Amino acid sequence: MRFDTHLTAEDSPNIEHLLLGVFPTEFEAHLVESLRRRQAIAAEHGLWDQGALVGYNAYSPVSIEGKSTKRQILGVGPMAIHVDYQGAGHGLRFLEESLKDVEADALVLLGHTAFYEKVGFRPAADFGLTFSDNAEMNAAFMALECWKGALDGLSGRVIYDKMFYGE
Ligand SMILES: CC(C)(COP(=O)(O)OP(=O)(O)OC[C@H]1O[C@@H](n2cnc3c(N)ncnc32)[C@H](O)[C@@H]1OP(=O)(O)O)[C@@H](O)C(=O)NCCC(=O)NCCS
């Protein structure tokens, strides 16, 4: 397995293939294609096995409604592990490696809370952060300070790139 921090434009077909195979709809593949094309990705990581992309994770800048900060806050995802590789610990190891490499002050994500708790994410509500007015979505919204206090004074609604909202 090879952890890759330098995915290029040439890797787009591999990324699309992986995301289409992992997620039930084309939403994530389209989202990543748009973010990559508009250079709206702050960092992205891949996991390769024998020439095949079997893991992917992207980070994109977010802002907090009504707040101005120099702190770098990134949204994590979409993250995916190829279906044939799921459930064997690859996702957790990949995420740990990915988090060690990414440069940010704080991270947020919408996802499987039990999975992301394992690497230190906490309910975003603990920091006063929300994703939307939807309680179910807010319950799956998580945050991680890369240094203690990174989110101090930054409570509010987190705004992602418009493509995350399916616009
Ligand atoms: C979610 C995903 C990235 C996890 O990767 P994985 O390689 O299957 O996970 P791992 O085998 O490393 O699991 C590590 C631990 O996390 C747990 N875990 C994995 N997926 C989980 C999930 N969806 N919800 C809750 N816990 C999960 C495992 O049970 C395991 O726990 P244990 O160590 O206590 O046994 C992968 O399954 C995937 O790509 N799923 C489809 C796409 C997706 O949902 N992406 C994330 C969007 S938030």
Side-chain angles (χ1 to χ4, degrees):
M1 296 277 193
R2 181 170 66 85
F3 180 72
D4 188 356
T5 57
H6 290 99
L7 293 166
T8 68
E10 286 177 13
D11 295 314
S12 288
N14 294 302
I15 295 169
E16 186 182 17
H17 182 73
L18 173 66
L19 297 178
L20 288 175
V22 166
F23 290 99
T25 72
E26 297 178 352
F27 176 78
E28 284 79 6
H30 285 156
L31 168 63
V32 169
E33 186 278 324
S34 169
L35 294 174
R36 295 191 102 226
R37 184 168 32 80
R38 292 180 292 119
Q39 299 186 335
I41 285 184
E44 60 180 350
H45 297 143
L47 186 67
W48 297 88
D49 186 32
Q50 298 175 17
L53 187 71
V54 298
Y56 179 79
N57 190 22
Y59 298 85
S60 57
V62 298
S63 58
I64 297 170
E65 201 170 45
K67 298 277 160 70
S68 165
T69 179
K70 291 208 167 87
R71 282 171 248 171
Q72 169 87 314
I73 307 174
L74 300 178
V76 186
M79 171 170 169
I81 291 290
H82 190 287
V83 285
D84 293 349
Y85 289 75
Q86 290 177 10
H90 296 299
L92 196 55
R93 281 195 295 278
F94 176 55
L95 179 60
E96 284 168 346
E97 206 155 350
S98 177
L99 294 175
K100 268 192 249 159
D101 191 83
V102 73
E103 285 178 27
D105 294 302
L107 302 168
V108 292
L109 62 83
L110 201 56
H112 306 294
T113 54
F115 179 66
Y116 292 102
E117 270 169 11
K118 292 179 188 291
V119 292
F121 278 85
R122 286 169 40 196
D126 289 1
F127 302 97
L129 296 172
T130 58
F131 177 78
S132 72
D133 295 331
N134 181 311
E136 207 175 308
M137 281 192 151
N138 285 334
F141 195 45
M142 305 190 83
L144 175 71
E145 290 182 324
C146 302
W147 49 273
K148 196 166 167 33
L151 286 169
D152 283 359
L154 291 178
S155 59
R157 185 178 181 136
V158 175
I159 314 289
Y160 281 77
D161 183 279
K162 61 183 187 324
M163 282 298 289
F164 279 86
Y165 306 98
E167 290 168 15

